[in-house]
Amino acid sequence: MRQIALYGKGGIGKSTTSANLSAAFAENGLDVMQIGCDPKHDSTRMLMHGRWIPTVLEQMYERKDLEMDDVIFTGFGGVRCVEAGGPEPGIGCAGRGIIATFQLLEKMKALNGDVVVYDVLGDVVCGGFAMPMRDGYAQEVYLVTSGELMSLYAANNICKAIARLSERSTARCRLGGVICNSKNMDNERELVAEFSRLIGSKMVQFVPRDKAVQAAEVNQMTVIEHAPASPQADVYRGLAKTILANDDLRIPTALDLDELEKLARAYL
Ligand code: ADP
Ligand code: SF4
Ligand code: MG
């Protein structure tokens, strides 16, 4: 079983990329599970045709004897969808939802199939959000970033977390590569490719900014389902193929802030 995690800044396109990736894996006949690990809990919405599925945390607040059907929902292409969820605003720890979700899925023996895709917020890489990497779930991490400095900054912080966690025996996570989800900036492809090289990794896919994504979103579908013949759908299929073939997993070396800013200036 491959366990793949997409990490990146909020709003960068993790859920869009994760859902299309899961859909592309499913098209290839793979048994796929996608776990949303962002308190925003909208990771699987496009796979679920707009439905906000109940989160593991909210189900746990309500009942003790949860069954698989209470927290695992079947979406497009048979992808099994789970949302960890978040705490009530103002109380509790967001990372707790992630921990509780994994414990429950393990207890149910539901963490199986060919591929598990974890969609994880990377603005904070505290113990809670590092949990999928820390406890051996996410074995391959892909950073989702654009060429914007704050997005690279978040990706760089995730590199620091991977490097630190790789010193632990329980953490088997490595960096699989960088996905550039474009914001249509000048020299963005070159900038993100160079960032990837400097951290000791590689850019695995350049995903263009494309209105096919919005068209699919307003129709509550992934691009793979809504516009299967579009070039953007092929980009996501290409990403799925590259990830499946990728066995080049690295411990990254994060840049210091000065280096990161210098890099961003050089590609303006
Ligand atoms: P995240 O999960 O990282 O918070 P989302 O996947 O929800 O981000 O994406 C944020 C917004 O950006 C969404 O409205 C989505 O439609 C849009 N978006 C993401 N990737 C692309 C893309 N390649 N082209 C156009 N719009 C995109
Ligand atoms: Fe939980 Fe992380 Fe927030 Fe701390 S920073 S309360 S560990 S989510
Ligand atoms: Mg998201």
Side-chain angles (χ1 to χ4, degrees):
M1 181 173 70
R2 297 276 294 269
Q3 303 202 76
I4 293 163
L6 274 67
Y7 272 81
K9 186 184 173 311
I12 195 58
K14 295 177 297 297
S15 299
T16 306
T17 312
S18 299
N20 279 288
L21 193 58
S22 291
F25 286 143
E27 264 189 347
N28 282 325
L30 298 178
D31 178 1
V32 188
M33 184 168 206
Q34 180 165 322
I35 307 183
C37 300
D38 183 332
K40 203 160 58 153
H41 66 90
D42 62 348
S43 174
T44 60
R45 259 190 85 217
M46 296 303 121
L47 291 165
M48 292 301 307
H49 299 137
R51 182 174 170 206
W52 295 87
I53 58 173
T55 70
V56 172
L57 216 54
E58 83 200 4
Q59 293 286 70
M60 280 181 134
Y61 283 138
E62 279 178 24
R63 295 190 16 215
K64 289 245 171 313
D65 53 340
L66 291 177
E67 314 239 341
M68 281 203 209
D69 291 353
D70 298 318
V71 290
I72 305 174
F73 300 85
T74 306
F76 171 76
V79 177
R80 288 171 295 139
C81 299
V82 176
E83 293 286 347
E88 292 284 316
I91 6 171
C93 160
R96 219 191 122 233
I98 301 175
I99 296 166
T101 298
F102 291 158
Q103 285 170 346
L104 183 72
L105 293 175
E106 293 236 277
K107 202 173 105 194
M108 290 174 165
K109 300 195 189 324
L111 263 184
N112 52 30
D114 299 310
V115 192
V116 181
V117 176
Y118 300 94
D119 171 6
V120 199
L121 185 67
D123 291 74
V124 272
V125 211
C126 62
F129 290 103
M131 159 77 187
M133 298 192 274
R134 194 188 65 206
D135 287 6
Y137 295 100
Q139 294 165 357
E140 292 169 49
V141 173
Y142 291 88
L143 303 172
V144 184
T145 184
S146 69
E148 285 176 341
L149 184 60
M150 282 303 113
S151 162
L152 290 168
Y153 178 77
N156 195 53
N157 273 340
I158 297 152
C159 291
K160 285 185 194 161
I162 299 172
R164 184 161 298 161
L165 289 169
S166 69
E167 293 161 10
R168 290 185 180 213
S169 58
T170 49
R172 286 170 291 165
C173 72
R174 295 288 182 269
L175 182 61
V178 180
I179 300 165
C180 177
N181 195 35
S182 174
K183 291 264 175 160
N184 271 347
M185 293 167 63
D186 293 344
N187 309 319
E188 193 174 25
R189 185 193 290 257
E190 293 74 18
L191 167 59
V192 175
E194 182 61 4
F195 168 75
S196 310
R197 194 185 69 77
L198 290 173
I199 58 170
S201 185
K202 61 185 182 299
M203 187 169 86
V204 288
Q205 183 70 277
F206 177 83
V207 180
R209 188 140 199 98
D210 190 321
K211 54 184 188 306
V213 174
Q214 274 74 45
E217 193 170 54
V218 295
N219 285 287
Q220 305 186 319
M221 281 180 243
T222 59
V223 177
I224 297 271
E225 183 179 13
H226 183 251
S230 64
Q232 191 76 356
D234 280 341
V235 169
Y236 294 121
R237 290 186 188 109
L239 176 62
K241 203 170 153 205
T242 302
I243 289 180
L244 284 179
N246 188 25
D247 57 7
D248 180 16
L249 305 175
R250 305 284 182 94
I251 298 174
T253 43
L255 309 182
D256 64 38
L257 191 54
D258 285 349
E259 279 178 290
L260 193 61
E261 287 177 342
K262 194 169 145 213
L263 176 70
R265 274 197 302 274
Y267 284 85
L268 269 181

